[in-house]
Amino acid sequence: MPNDVTRTTLQDMTHIPPPTEELRLLDWELRQLDTRRAQLLARRAWLVATLHPVRPQPAAPPRAEAAAPRVQNVLLLLGGILLTLAATAFTLVSWRHLGVSGRALVLGAVTAAVLAAPAVLLKRGLRSTAESVAGLGLALTVLDAYALHDVAFAGADGLRFAAASAAVLAGVWAAYGFLPRLREMRLPLPAALAAAQLPLLLWAVAVDAGGYTITAALLATAGFDTVVALRATARSVRLVAVGGAYGLGGWGVLTAGWLSLTATGPSAAARAAALLLLAAALALGAAWQTPGEKHASGLAVATGLLVVAALGGALRPVLPDMWTVPVHLACGIALLAAAGVSRLPEAVRRGIARASAAVQALAVLWALPVVAVALLGPASLAGHVWSGSPGSARDAVTVELSWPPDAATASVVLAAVAGVLALTVRESTWRPRALDASLILAWAGVLVLPATLELPYTATLLIQGIVTATLLLLRRTTATVLALLTSLSLAFLALASEPATLATLASLTVLFAVGVRRPLPAAASLTYATALAVAVGAALDLRPEHTALCVLVVTAAAALLAVYVEEKTTTAVEVTGTVTGLVAVGLAMGEPPMLALVLALGGVIAAGTAIRPDRRAAGYVAAALFVLATWVRLESWDVATPEAYTLPVTVPALIVGALRRQRAPQTSSWTAYAPGLAATLVPSLVAVWAGQHGPRPLLLGAAALLIILLGARHHLQAPLLLGGSVLVLDTLHELAPYLVEMTTALPRWVPPALAGLLLLALGATYERRIRDVRRVREVLGRMN
């Protein structure tokens, strides 16, 4: 190395990149290595697949869709069916080609052989085959009976022979199933029980028995099935017995019920009642012996309902129609005594109690239409205000509705059920609900009583007023709701007469005012006070706009009352007062000056409410009402200048914005000042551009300039932008004629030339930016 080469020169010749550049280079090298590794792994996978090809796996054997026992049973069933069809065809078609001895020999031999075969098959362990052959043998016995009728009893009645044959076959099949070697089979005994369903029914039809005898036959057969279902141990026998008991028993109950309903005399009703009591006895016996609690309770319910239907149906022909429901209800209530018998199982007692409850519920449902007419009928008087007092309570509630027939005992039904609920339900969990339901039913009974007895109109008003006062004294939620419903019915009922309307509304206002510390009574009192104000105005022949001032008195009273009640009541009072104020506004809509006064008074009430610390938001409502009052007044004076409508909004809005920025300096000028400024600037600018000249453009420009200066002085964005935008648009409007004249004075080539210059300037700017981007890209490339 030359001696004149210094250490400083060597350091300059060595290129050591900065850390950032070195890190970028390392990352790039690592990415290259990852890419190369992925290529090598792909090549290795291809080589492995080429050297060691994957051998296909042998296909799995198909899964058997039917198990061997199932296939066996299907084959045996099909074989038995085919043999049965062949035997039937032989009996019906080929029978006549043989003599009497041949017929007896063939049928006897085939039947005996088939019935004897199951014993041999069971001994060899072929149980399913034995069942199929036994079924074929049972079918052959049916064909034997048919052949016997065709040969020996051709002249006998078909239904009677069928009844006798069914009885004999049932006995034969039962005896066959009880044979020592054949007790293992499941088919003979259920088949015998199925055949036993027919003898009594077929016999009753064959002898032309009446409906009562046929029904008795059905119930007797159902009783036999019930005994078998309770005593049998084989599941197949129990299933057939249960199906027969429910099927024939239900058929018999429906028939007995129809006979009871259509009975025209005591004798027929008594026979139908006896059938229903027989069905009830069967159901009770089954419920007593059934081990399952749910099943036993359901049967006990059926027992109770059947007893009520039987006793009520027996008394129905000898009593007036209006007592039909009360008699059934009395029978249902009497069931509660049976439900208290300690000897009965708990499930049975519970079911009987539920049956009693069901009867009472049905009785109440029967009375509901009467209650609906008594409660909603007075609403029809809204279309006949002060038309004259009706003759009776029923005339008042049936102006547009009809009174239900045979409803004279509705009050008795409701009172009876109310008493039962109040006296019998003692459990602590259900006691409050039962008392509420009892109160509702008692109220409904009293409500329908005047119309039921056709009491005088005045007496009806007094009764409903007393009911309302009594319910309010109870101070319970349910009672308060019922009091409100009664008062509504009373208010509508009083619309028939002017004195009654005024007296009733005044009384209701005072009654509900007693409980004014609760939400519902307070709102109701204010509502009736509003209605009273309207009624007084109508009685004094005041115009609606003058009546609106009377209604505003109620609104003011609501605002004062809201100060002295609890928070939960305050909301109800204020909402009612607001609705009352809207009513006043609606009444004054026909007279703009009076409407402006009503709005202004509403603003005063809202402003008074805003004094309370927790109701500051009412101040906005007051401001809106004052502005609306001003607008209505200006409209009534035919003022068309928009600033007269907008300045009353702008000035308070700007004051509120300034106060807000004083309390919270971080508040944006757009929040504080933009709404107030836009309320006047935008309508004025629209008026200017709409073609209005004169001093408005100059005044608008001066106002916009002042707003710009104030915004610049206080560094506020909203005044600067809003004022500047309005000033520019206002100036364009003023200069528009001159710009049009200047445009028409220019040569025609000037606009295209200006457009071309603009496009050239944009293109040059775009090209310069592209050049800068390329330069940056080249610098970055050199850095790599």
Side-chain angles (χ1 to χ4, degrees), residues 386 495 498-499 501-506 509 528-544 546-551 554 587:
W386 296 351
L495 293 177
E498 178 181 340
T501 301
L502 298 177
T504 299
L505 292 177
T509 302
Y528 287 124
T530 304
L532 178 61
V534 175
V536 169
L540 297 178
D541 292 332
L542 297 179
R543 295 175 59 84
H546 297 154
T547 304
L549 298 177
C550 301
V551 175
V554 181
L587 291 173

PDB file of all heavy atoms in Angstrom, residues 386 495 498-499 501-506 509 528-544 546-551 554 587:
ATOM      1  N   TRP A 386    -126.522  15.309  24.256  1.00  0.00           N
ATOM      2  CA  TRP A 386    -127.594  16.168  24.780  1.00  0.00           C
ATOM      3  C   TRP A 386    -128.887  16.015  23.963  1.00  0.00           C
ATOM      4  O   TRP A 386    -129.598  16.984  23.702  1.00  0.00           O
ATOM      5  CB  TRP A 386    -127.161  17.622  24.826  1.00  0.00           C
ATOM      6  CG  TRP A 386    -126.007  17.844  25.779  1.00  0.00           C
ATOM      7  CD1 TRP A 386    -125.496  16.948  26.643  1.00  0.00           C
ATOM      8  CD2 TRP A 386    -125.232  19.026  25.944  1.00  0.00           C
ATOM      9  NE1 TRP A 386    -124.440  17.469  27.341  1.00  0.00           N
ATOM     10  CE2 TRP A 386    -124.251  18.768  26.935  1.00  0.00           C
ATOM     11  CE3 TRP A 386    -125.252  20.289  25.346  1.00  0.00           C
ATOM     12  CZ2 TRP A 386    -123.338  19.719  27.340  1.00  0.00           C
ATOM     13  CZ3 TRP A 386    -124.340  21.233  25.762  1.00  0.00           C
ATOM     14  CH2 TRP A 386    -123.387  20.965  26.752  1.00  0.00           C
ATOM     15  N   LEU A 495    -123.668  11.867  28.626  1.00  0.00           N
ATOM     16  CA  LEU A 495    -123.750  12.752  27.467  1.00  0.00           C
ATOM     17  C   LEU A 495    -125.172  12.921  26.940  1.00  0.00           C
ATOM     18  O   LEU A 495    -125.431  13.805  26.126  1.00  0.00           O
ATOM     19  CB  LEU A 495    -122.858  12.226  26.335  1.00  0.00           C
ATOM     20  CG  LEU A 495    -121.352  12.263  26.584  1.00  0.00           C
ATOM     21  CD1 LEU A 495    -120.609  11.644  25.415  1.00  0.00           C
ATOM     22  CD2 LEU A 495    -120.877  13.693  26.818  1.00  0.00           C
ATOM     23  N   GLU A 498    -127.658  17.516  29.194  1.00  0.00           N
ATOM     24  CA  GLU A 498    -126.714  18.587  29.532  1.00  0.00           C
ATOM     25  C   GLU A 498    -126.477  18.700  31.030  1.00  0.00           C
ATOM     26  O   GLU A 498    -125.323  18.743  31.481  1.00  0.00           O
ATOM     27  CB  GLU A 498    -127.220  19.917  28.964  1.00  0.00           C
ATOM     28  CG  GLU A 498    -126.333  21.103  29.317  1.00  0.00           C
ATOM     29  CD  GLU A 498    -126.866  22.417  28.776  1.00  0.00           C
ATOM     30  OE1 GLU A 498    -127.685  22.372  27.828  1.00  0.00           O
ATOM     31  OE2 GLU A 498    -126.480  23.477  29.291  1.00  0.00           O
ATOM     32  N   PRO A 499    -127.507  18.751  31.880  1.00  0.00           N
ATOM     33  CA  PRO A 499    -127.247  18.822  33.328  1.00  0.00           C
ATOM     34  C   PRO A 499    -126.464  17.604  33.827  1.00  0.00           C
ATOM     35  O   PRO A 499    -125.576  17.740  34.669  1.00  0.00           O
ATOM     36  CB  PRO A 499    -128.647  18.897  33.944  1.00  0.00           C
ATOM     37  CG  PRO A 499    -129.522  19.395  32.851  1.00  0.00           C
ATOM     38  CD  PRO A 499    -128.955  18.851  31.594  1.00  0.00           C
ATOM     39  N   THR A 501    -124.357  15.817  32.145  1.00  0.00           N
ATOM     40  CA  THR A 501    -122.970  15.922  31.691  1.00  0.00           C
ATOM     41  C   THR A 501    -122.156  16.827  32.599  1.00  0.00           C
ATOM     42  O   THR A 501    -121.061  16.466  33.061  1.00  0.00           O
ATOM     43  CB  THR A 501    -122.926  16.444  30.246  1.00  0.00           C
ATOM     44  OG1 THR A 501    -123.656  15.560  29.396  1.00  0.00           O
ATOM     45  CG2 THR A 501    -121.496  16.553  29.758  1.00  0.00           C
ATOM     46  N   LEU A 502    -122.683  18.027  32.889  1.00  0.00           N
ATOM     47  CA  LEU A 502    -121.944  18.973  33.718  1.00  0.00           C
ATOM     48  C   LEU A 502    -121.756  18.438  35.133  1.00  0.00           C
ATOM     49  O   LEU A 502    -120.653  18.508  35.700  1.00  0.00           O
ATOM     50  CB  LEU A 502    -122.680  20.311  33.747  1.00  0.00           C
ATOM     51  CG  LEU A 502    -122.821  21.023  32.388  1.00  0.00           C
ATOM     52  CD1 LEU A 502    -123.636  22.289  32.532  1.00  0.00           C
ATOM     53  CD2 LEU A 502    -121.448  21.353  31.813  1.00  0.00           C
ATOM     54  N   ALA A 503    -122.815  17.874  35.708  1.00  0.00           N
ATOM     55  CA  ALA A 503    -122.716  17.371  37.081  1.00  0.00           C
ATOM     56  C   ALA A 503    -121.770  16.173  37.153  1.00  0.00           C
ATOM     57  O   ALA A 503    -120.961  16.052  38.091  1.00  0.00           O
ATOM     58  CB  ALA A 503    -124.109  16.985  37.583  1.00  0.00           C
ATOM     59  N   THR A 504    -121.853  15.294  36.169  1.00  0.00           N
ATOM     60  CA  THR A 504    -121.016  14.090  36.194  1.00  0.00           C
ATOM     61  C   THR A 504    -119.544  14.431  36.024  1.00  0.00           C
ATOM     62  O   THR A 504    -118.678  13.930  36.758  1.00  0.00           O
ATOM     63  CB  THR A 504    -121.463  13.122  35.084  1.00  0.00           C
ATOM     64  OG1 THR A 504    -122.823  12.753  35.315  1.00  0.00           O
ATOM     65  CG2 THR A 504    -120.592  11.892  35.063  1.00  0.00           C
ATOM     66  N   LEU A 505    -119.231  15.288  35.063  1.00  0.00           N
ATOM     67  CA  LEU A 505    -117.822  15.647  34.840  1.00  0.00           C
ATOM     68  C   LEU A 505    -117.250  16.388  36.043  1.00  0.00           C
ATOM     69  O   LEU A 505    -116.093  16.162  36.425  1.00  0.00           O
ATOM     70  CB  LEU A 505    -117.700  16.498  33.578  1.00  0.00           C
ATOM     71  CG  LEU A 505    -117.998  15.770  32.257  1.00  0.00           C
ATOM     72  CD1 LEU A 505    -117.914  16.730  31.081  1.00  0.00           C
ATOM     73  CD2 LEU A 505    -117.025  14.618  32.047  1.00  0.00           C
ATOM     74  N   ALA A 506    -118.037  17.260  36.650  1.00  0.00           N
ATOM     75  CA  ALA A 506    -117.560  17.950  37.850  1.00  0.00           C
ATOM     76  C   ALA A 506    -117.318  16.957  38.982  1.00  0.00           C
ATOM     77  O   ALA A 506    -116.299  17.034  39.696  1.00  0.00           O
ATOM     78  CB  ALA A 506    -118.577  19.013  38.265  1.00  0.00           C
ATOM     79  N   THR A 509    -114.177  14.915  38.285  1.00  0.00           N
ATOM     80  CA  THR A 509    -112.976  15.724  38.508  1.00  0.00           C
ATOM     81  C   THR A 509    -112.620  15.770  39.988  1.00  0.00           C
ATOM     82  O   THR A 509    -111.459  15.597  40.387  1.00  0.00           O
ATOM     83  CB  THR A 509    -113.175  17.139  37.965  1.00  0.00           C
ATOM     84  OG1 THR A 509    -113.486  17.065  36.568  1.00  0.00           O
ATOM     85  CG2 THR A 509    -111.930  17.973  38.160  1.00  0.00           C
ATOM     86  N   TYR A 528    -110.812  14.867  33.027  1.00  0.00           N
ATOM     87  CA  TYR A 528    -112.226  15.214  33.224  1.00  0.00           C
ATOM     88  C   TYR A 528    -112.401  16.719  33.426  1.00  0.00           C
ATOM     89  O   TYR A 528    -113.436  17.285  33.054  1.00  0.00           O
ATOM     90  CB  TYR A 528    -112.789  14.436  34.403  1.00  0.00           C
ATOM     91  CG  TYR A 528    -112.988  12.974  34.094  1.00  0.00           C
ATOM     92  CD1 TYR A 528    -112.407  11.980  34.869  1.00  0.00           C
ATOM     93  CD2 TYR A 528    -113.744  12.580  32.997  1.00  0.00           C
ATOM     94  CE1 TYR A 528    -112.577  10.643  34.570  1.00  0.00           C
ATOM     95  CE2 TYR A 528    -113.918  11.238  32.684  1.00  0.00           C
ATOM     96  CZ  TYR A 528    -113.329  10.282  33.479  1.00  0.00           C
ATOM     97  OH  TYR A 528    -113.507   8.950  33.171  1.00  0.00           O
ATOM     98  N   ALA A 529    -111.385  17.377  33.988  1.00  0.00           N
ATOM     99  CA  ALA A 529    -111.458  18.837  34.107  1.00  0.00           C
ATOM    100  C   ALA A 529    -111.448  19.486  32.711  1.00  0.00           C
ATOM    101  O   ALA A 529    -112.165  20.464  32.456  1.00  0.00           O
ATOM    102  CB  ALA A 529    -110.297  19.356  34.941  1.00  0.00           C
ATOM    103  N   THR A 530    -110.643  18.936  31.815  1.00  0.00           N
ATOM    104  CA  THR A 530    -110.631  19.437  30.438  1.00  0.00           C
ATOM    105  C   THR A 530    -111.983  19.237  29.770  1.00  0.00           C
ATOM    106  O   THR A 530    -112.520  20.136  29.103  1.00  0.00           O
ATOM    107  CB  THR A 530    -109.535  18.724  29.643  1.00  0.00           C
ATOM    108  OG1 THR A 530    -108.277  18.908  30.299  1.00  0.00           O
ATOM    109  CG2 THR A 530    -109.454  19.271  28.235  1.00  0.00           C
ATOM    110  N   ALA A 531    -112.527  18.016  29.932  1.00  0.00           N
ATOM    111  CA  ALA A 531    -113.848  17.764  29.363  1.00  0.00           C
ATOM    112  C   ALA A 531    -114.897  18.682  29.963  1.00  0.00           C
ATOM    113  O   ALA A 531    -115.804  19.162  29.266  1.00  0.00           O
ATOM    114  CB  ALA A 531    -114.229  16.297  29.590  1.00  0.00           C
ATOM    115  N   LEU A 532    -114.778  18.964  31.260  1.00  0.00           N
ATOM    116  CA  LEU A 532    -115.721  19.880  31.908  1.00  0.00           C
ATOM    117  C   LEU A 532    -115.605  21.291  31.335  1.00  0.00           C
ATOM    118  O   LEU A 532    -116.619  21.973  31.111  1.00  0.00           O
ATOM    119  CB  LEU A 532    -115.463  19.891  33.411  1.00  0.00           C
ATOM    120  CG  LEU A 532    -116.343  20.836  34.237  1.00  0.00           C
ATOM    121  CD1 LEU A 532    -117.814  20.462  34.116  1.00  0.00           C
ATOM    122  CD2 LEU A 532    -115.901  20.825  35.701  1.00  0.00           C
ATOM    123  N   ALA A 533    -114.374  21.741  31.080  1.00  0.00           N
ATOM    124  CA  ALA A 533    -114.185  23.069  30.500  1.00  0.00           C
ATOM    125  C   ALA A 533    -114.830  23.154  29.117  1.00  0.00           C
ATOM    126  O   ALA A 533    -115.497  24.148  28.784  1.00  0.00           O
ATOM    127  CB  ALA A 533    -112.693  23.389  30.413  1.00  0.00           C
ATOM    128  N   VAL A 534    -114.652  22.115  28.307  1.00  0.00           N
ATOM    129  CA  VAL A 534    -115.277  22.108  26.985  1.00  0.00           C
ATOM    130  C   VAL A 534    -116.800  22.085  27.109  1.00  0.00           C
ATOM    131  O   VAL A 534    -117.520  22.789  26.378  1.00  0.00           O
ATOM    132  CB  VAL A 534    -114.768  20.900  26.172  1.00  0.00           C
ATOM    133  CG1 VAL A 534    -115.495  20.802  24.835  1.00  0.00           C
ATOM    134  CG2 VAL A 534    -113.262  21.014  25.939  1.00  0.00           C
ATOM    135  N   ALA A 535    -117.310  21.273  28.053  1.00  0.00           N
ATOM    136  CA  ALA A 535    -118.764  21.190  28.228  1.00  0.00           C
ATOM    137  C   ALA A 535    -119.338  22.522  28.719  1.00  0.00           C
ATOM    138  O   ALA A 535    -120.417  22.944  28.287  1.00  0.00           O
ATOM    139  CB  ALA A 535    -119.095  20.073  29.214  1.00  0.00           C
ATOM    140  N   VAL A 536    -118.629  23.189  29.604  1.00  0.00           N
ATOM    141  CA  VAL A 536    -119.099  24.499  30.087  1.00  0.00           C
ATOM    142  C   VAL A 536    -119.121  25.505  28.947  1.00  0.00           C
ATOM    143  O   VAL A 536    -120.063  26.299  28.803  1.00  0.00           O
ATOM    144  CB  VAL A 536    -118.200  24.982  31.235  1.00  0.00           C
ATOM    145  CG1 VAL A 536    -118.490  26.445  31.567  1.00  0.00           C
ATOM    146  CG2 VAL A 536    -118.418  24.119  32.469  1.00  0.00           C
ATOM    147  N   GLY A 537    -118.076  25.479  28.120  1.00  0.00           N
ATOM    148  CA  GLY A 537    -118.070  26.370  26.966  1.00  0.00           C
ATOM    149  C   GLY A 537    -119.228  26.108  26.031  1.00  0.00           C
ATOM    150  O   GLY A 537    -119.863  27.044  25.512  1.00  0.00           O
ATOM    151  N   ALA A 538    -119.541  24.823  25.803  1.00  0.00           N
ATOM    152  CA  ALA A 538    -120.675  24.502  24.941  1.00  0.00           C
ATOM    153  C   ALA A 538    -121.991  24.902  25.586  1.00  0.00           C
ATOM    154  O   ALA A 538    -122.918  25.369  24.902  1.00  0.00           O
ATOM    155  CB  ALA A 538    -120.673  23.002  24.631  1.00  0.00           C
ATOM    156  N   ALA A 539    -122.097  24.724  26.910  1.00  0.00           N
ATOM    157  CA  ALA A 539    -123.337  25.100  27.589  1.00  0.00           C
ATOM    158  C   ALA A 539    -123.550  26.613  27.551  1.00  0.00           C
ATOM    159  O   ALA A 539    -124.700  27.089  27.502  1.00  0.00           O
ATOM    160  CB  ALA A 539    -123.304  24.607  29.031  1.00  0.00           C
ATOM    161  N   LEU A 540    -122.467  27.396  27.597  1.00  0.00           N
ATOM    162  CA  LEU A 540    -122.576  28.858  27.556  1.00  0.00           C
ATOM    163  C   LEU A 540    -122.569  29.411  26.135  1.00  0.00           C
ATOM    164  O   LEU A 540    -122.516  30.638  25.958  1.00  0.00           O
ATOM    165  CB  LEU A 540    -121.411  29.476  28.343  1.00  0.00           C
ATOM    166  CG  LEU A 540    -121.368  29.147  29.843  1.00  0.00           C
ATOM    167  CD1 LEU A 540    -120.143  29.771  30.487  1.00  0.00           C
ATOM    168  CD2 LEU A 540    -122.634  29.652  30.534  1.00  0.00           C
ATOM    169  N   ASP A 541    -122.600  28.534  25.140  1.00  0.00           N
ATOM    170  CA  ASP A 541    -122.597  28.929  23.734  1.00  0.00           C
ATOM    171  C   ASP A 541    -121.365  29.755  23.373  1.00  0.00           C
ATOM    172  O   ASP A 541    -121.426  30.703  22.580  1.00  0.00           O
ATOM    173  CB  ASP A 541    -123.873  29.708  23.378  1.00  0.00           C
ATOM    174  CG  ASP A 541    -125.107  28.831  23.435  1.00  0.00           C
ATOM    175  OD1 ASP A 541    -124.965  27.621  23.209  1.00  0.00           O
ATOM    176  OD2 ASP A 541    -126.188  29.362  23.740  1.00  0.00           O
ATOM    177  N   LEU A 542    -120.229  29.409  23.962  1.00  0.00           N
ATOM    178  CA  LEU A 542    -118.983  30.102  23.629  1.00  0.00           C
ATOM    179  C   LEU A 542    -118.419  29.553  22.325  1.00  0.00           C
ATOM    180  O   LEU A 542    -118.624  28.391  21.976  1.00  0.00           O
ATOM    181  CB  LEU A 542    -117.955  29.905  24.747  1.00  0.00           C
ATOM    182  CG  LEU A 542    -118.309  30.465  26.127  1.00  0.00           C
ATOM    183  CD1 LEU A 542    -117.184  30.152  27.115  1.00  0.00           C
ATOM    184  CD2 LEU A 542    -118.560  31.966  26.056  1.00  0.00           C
ATOM    185  N   ARG A 543    -117.707  30.420  21.614  1.00  0.00           N
ATOM    186  CA  ARG A 543    -117.026  29.973  20.418  1.00  0.00           C
ATOM    187  C   ARG A 543    -115.855  29.064  20.807  1.00  0.00           C
ATOM    188  O   ARG A 543    -115.319  29.174  21.915  1.00  0.00           O
ATOM    189  CB  ARG A 543    -116.523  31.168  19.615  1.00  0.00           C
ATOM    190  CG  ARG A 543    -117.654  32.038  19.062  1.00  0.00           C
ATOM    191  CD  ARG A 543    -117.073  33.287  18.381  1.00  0.00           C
ATOM    192  NE  ARG A 543    -116.179  32.926  17.297  1.00  0.00           N
ATOM    193  CZ  ARG A 543    -116.577  32.643  16.054  1.00  0.00           C
ATOM    194  NH1 ARG A 543    -117.868  32.697  15.753  1.00  0.00           N
ATOM    195  NH2 ARG A 543    -115.708  32.337  15.115  1.00  0.00           N
ATOM    196  N   PRO A 544    -115.444  28.164  19.915  1.00  0.00           N
ATOM    197  CA  PRO A 544    -114.365  27.232  20.269  1.00  0.00           C
ATOM    198  C   PRO A 544    -113.087  27.935  20.695  1.00  0.00           C
ATOM    199  O   PRO A 544    -112.416  27.483  21.632  1.00  0.00           O
ATOM    200  CB  PRO A 544    -114.153  26.433  18.976  1.00  0.00           C
ATOM    201  CG  PRO A 544    -115.469  26.491  18.277  1.00  0.00           C
ATOM    202  CD  PRO A 544    -116.038  27.850  18.592  1.00  0.00           C
ATOM    203  N   HIS A 546    -112.795  30.710  22.213  1.00  0.00           N
ATOM    204  CA  HIS A 546    -112.954  31.223  23.573  1.00  0.00           C
ATOM    205  C   HIS A 546    -112.944  30.082  24.587  1.00  0.00           C
ATOM    206  O   HIS A 546    -112.441  30.239  25.707  1.00  0.00           O
ATOM    207  CB  HIS A 546    -114.249  32.027  23.684  1.00  0.00           C
ATOM    208  CG  HIS A 546    -114.248  33.240  22.807  1.00  0.00           C
ATOM    209  ND1 HIS A 546    -115.409  33.819  22.311  1.00  0.00           N
ATOM    210  CD2 HIS A 546    -113.230  33.994  22.309  1.00  0.00           C
ATOM    211  CE1 HIS A 546    -115.107  34.865  21.573  1.00  0.00           C
ATOM    212  NE2 HIS A 546    -113.774  34.995  21.551  1.00  0.00           N
ATOM    213  N   THR A 547    -113.488  28.952  24.192  1.00  0.00           N
ATOM    214  CA  THR A 547    -113.422  27.770  25.063  1.00  0.00           C
ATOM    215  C   THR A 547    -111.974  27.336  25.268  1.00  0.00           C
ATOM    216  O   THR A 547    -111.634  26.783  26.326  1.00  0.00           O
ATOM    217  CB  THR A 547    -114.232  26.616  24.442  1.00  0.00           C
ATOM    218  OG1 THR A 547    -115.576  27.072  24.206  1.00  0.00           O
ATOM    219  CG2 THR A 547    -114.267  25.419  25.353  1.00  0.00           C
ATOM    220  N   ALA A 548    -111.116  27.589  24.280  1.00  0.00           N
ATOM    221  CA  ALA A 548    -109.709  27.219  24.412  1.00  0.00           C
ATOM    222  C   ALA A 548    -109.064  27.897  25.612  1.00  0.00           C
ATOM    223  O   ALA A 548    -108.188  27.319  26.271  1.00  0.00           O
ATOM    224  CB  ALA A 548    -108.962  27.569  23.125  1.00  0.00           C
ATOM    225  N   LEU A 549    -109.480  29.134  25.919  1.00  0.00           N
ATOM    226  CA  LEU A 549    -108.928  29.819  27.091  1.00  0.00           C
ATOM    227  C   LEU A 549    -109.327  29.105  28.378  1.00  0.00           C
ATOM    228  O   LEU A 549    -108.530  29.023  29.323  1.00  0.00           O
ATOM    229  CB  LEU A 549    -109.409  31.272  27.106  1.00  0.00           C
ATOM    230  CG  LEU A 549    -108.983  32.126  25.907  1.00  0.00           C
ATOM    231  CD1 LEU A 549    -109.576  33.526  26.009  1.00  0.00           C
ATOM    232  CD2 LEU A 549    -107.454  32.204  25.830  1.00  0.00           C
ATOM    233  N   CYS A 550    -110.544  28.550  28.420  1.00  0.00           N
ATOM    234  CA  CYS A 550    -110.960  27.769  29.593  1.00  0.00           C
ATOM    235  C   CYS A 550    -110.124  26.506  29.726  1.00  0.00           C
ATOM    236  O   CYS A 550    -109.745  26.099  30.836  1.00  0.00           O
ATOM    237  CB  CYS A 550    -112.441  27.416  29.489  1.00  0.00           C
ATOM    238  SG  CYS A 550    -113.549  28.838  29.377  1.00  0.00           S
ATOM    239  N   VAL A 551    -109.817  25.885  28.599  1.00  0.00           N
ATOM    240  CA  VAL A 551    -109.007  24.671  28.638  1.00  0.00           C
ATOM    241  C   VAL A 551    -107.588  24.985  29.103  1.00  0.00           C
ATOM    242  O   VAL A 551    -106.961  24.193  29.820  1.00  0.00           O
ATOM    243  CB  VAL A 551    -108.998  23.998  27.253  1.00  0.00           C
ATOM    244  CG1 VAL A 551    -108.068  22.801  27.234  1.00  0.00           C
ATOM    245  CG2 VAL A 551    -110.411  23.579  26.870  1.00  0.00           C
ATOM    246  N   VAL A 554    -106.861  24.592  32.740  1.00  0.00           N
ATOM    247  CA  VAL A 554    -106.498  23.236  33.189  1.00  0.00           C
ATOM    248  C   VAL A 554    -105.011  22.992  32.953  1.00  0.00           C
ATOM    249  O   VAL A 554    -104.330  22.377  33.791  1.00  0.00           O
ATOM    250  CB  VAL A 554    -107.355  22.198  32.457  1.00  0.00           C
ATOM    251  CG1 VAL A 554    -107.002  20.792  32.921  1.00  0.00           C
ATOM    252  CG2 VAL A 554    -108.827  22.464  32.688  1.00  0.00           C
ATOM    253  N   LEU A 587    -108.685  23.905  19.442  1.00  0.00           N
ATOM    254  CA  LEU A 587    -109.925  24.679  19.513  1.00  0.00           C
ATOM    255  C   LEU A 587    -109.757  26.084  18.945  1.00  0.00           C
ATOM    256  O   LEU A 587    -110.713  26.672  18.417  1.00  0.00           O
ATOM    257  CB  LEU A 587    -110.404  24.756  20.964  1.00  0.00           C
ATOM    258  CG  LEU A 587    -110.915  23.447  21.578  1.00  0.00           C
ATOM    259  CD1 LEU A 587    -111.185  23.634  23.069  1.00  0.00           C
ATOM    260  CD2 LEU A 587    -112.187  22.983  20.875  1.00  0.00           C
TER     261      LEU A 587
END
